[in-house]
Amino acid sequence: MVVCICNNIRETQLREAARREAAVSACATYRALGCRAKCGQCIRTARAILAEERAAA
C-alpha cells in the first residue's frame, strides 16, 4: 500500500525505516527515507504504522 503519494512511500518502506531508525516521529522517519511530508494527508497513517512498529519491538 502506498502511504505517501507525494513521495511514493510504501508501507513496507515506512516499516523498514521505522525499525532501522527507532522511529521517534513520522517526520524523522521521512527524513531517514530522504524526503519530507508535503501535503500532510499521510501523517495520521504514518503515525499509526510507526506506533505498530514500536509496539512490536
Side-chain angles (χ1 to χ4, degrees):
M1 167 178 83
V2 175
V3 174
C4 176
I5 295 171
C6 297
N7 292 298
N8 195 32
I9 297 174
R10 297 191 160 289
E11 180 180 355
T12 53
Q13 293 172 290
L14 194 60
R15 288 184 186 280
E16 289 170 9
R19 286 184 219 121
R20 270 195 321 268
E21 304 298 325
V24 232
S25 70
C27 291
T29 306
Y30 276 46
R31 279 193 301 275
L33 291 169
C35 56
R36 63 182 177 85
K38 295 179 182 177
C39 74
Q41 294 290 318
C42 58
I43 294 298
R44 182 175 288 171
T45 304
R47 285 180 180 154
I49 290 169
L50 297 177
E52 287 175 12
E53 289 301 318
R54 278 193 297 268

